[in-house]
Amino acid sequence: MRMQVDDLSDERVQALIMNHLESMALHSPPESRHALHFDGLRQPDVTFWSAWEGEELVGCGALKELGAAHGEIKSMKTDPRHVRKGVARQVLAHIIDVAKERGYTRLSLETGSMAAFAPARRLYESFGFTYCEPFAHYKHDPNSMFMTKEL
């Protein structure tokens, strides 16, 4: 799998982000949706990667800098045709590696508390993320769970 920094100009990447946003809308009320839209993913404090197998888009993920030593995982999404093939595991490993290279000492994330998000939570747990209090701008929300990992 090839990870590349992406400017979100490819229609396939845009479609995957739209699929991610639509999925969030199915499972989370509007006030509990924290997924970044295109403009948010293009901010200077966010690095967005697309994941490819040959010429086929298989997933994506992003890393938002919260401070000199703290990053946030954003926009983890596997193309629905490639679920259960290890794509998310490889994207997450890449984001963790980049966070370490940048000198971050902590990596955090917000995900949903509903059953639809259980596979994502299990993935993060398998990488050593633990549940924590809200961080950065987040507030307690029954629809959100917060996780963190010291690097």
Side-chain angles (χ1 to χ4, degrees):
M1 188 176 80
R2 181 180 86 255
M3 295 288 294
Q4 66 184 42
V5 173
D6 199 295
D7 65 3
L8 296 111
S9 61
D10 188 301
E11 290 180 4
R12 296 169 292 180
V13 174
Q14 292 173 9
L16 184 59
I17 293 300
M18 288 306 300
N19 179 269
H20 179 59
L21 295 171
E22 291 164 0
S23 178
M24 297 300 104
L26 285 175
H27 302 290
S28 300
E31 67 277 8
S32 299
R33 289 184 218 145
H34 304 288
L36 296 175
H37 293 261
F38 297 110
D39 289 343
L41 290 168
R42 289 186 180 115
Q43 293 303 305
D45 60 346
V46 176
T47 305
F48 176 82
W49 292 273
S50 53
W52 301 83
E53 285 288 347
E55 294 302 310
E56 189 170 5
L57 177 66
V58 296
C60 65
L63 177 58
K64 179 177 182 174
E65 185 168 297
L66 298 177
H70 192 189
E72 179 182 5
I73 296 171
K74 300 294 291 181
S75 301
M76 287 275 301
K77 179 66 177 176
T78 299
D79 183 286
R81 295 168 294 189
H82 296 281
V83 173
R84 310 271 187 269
K85 296 180 182 177
V87 172
R89 183 166 288 283
Q90 291 180 67
V91 171
L92 181 56
H94 178 80
I95 292 172
I96 291 170
D97 287 345
V98 171
K100 288 177 180 177
E101 288 170 12
R102 291 181 180 179
Y104 294 172
T105 57
R106 178 172 298 282
L107 200 50
S108 301
L109 62 95
E110 178 275 338
T111 190
S113 62
M114 294 69 94
F117 297 95
R121 292 191 305 268
R122 283 193 299 273
L123 171 68
Y124 297 129
E125 289 169 355
S126 77
F127 273 80
F129 283 83
T130 58
Y131 293 93
C132 65
E133 291 296 311
F135 59 93
H137 67 280
Y138 295 105
K139 304 218 180 324
H140 283 281
D141 178 346
N143 298 303
S144 290
M145 299 187 90
F146 305 95
M147 302 180 81
T148 196
K149 175 183 175 68
E150 293 205 26
L151 302 177

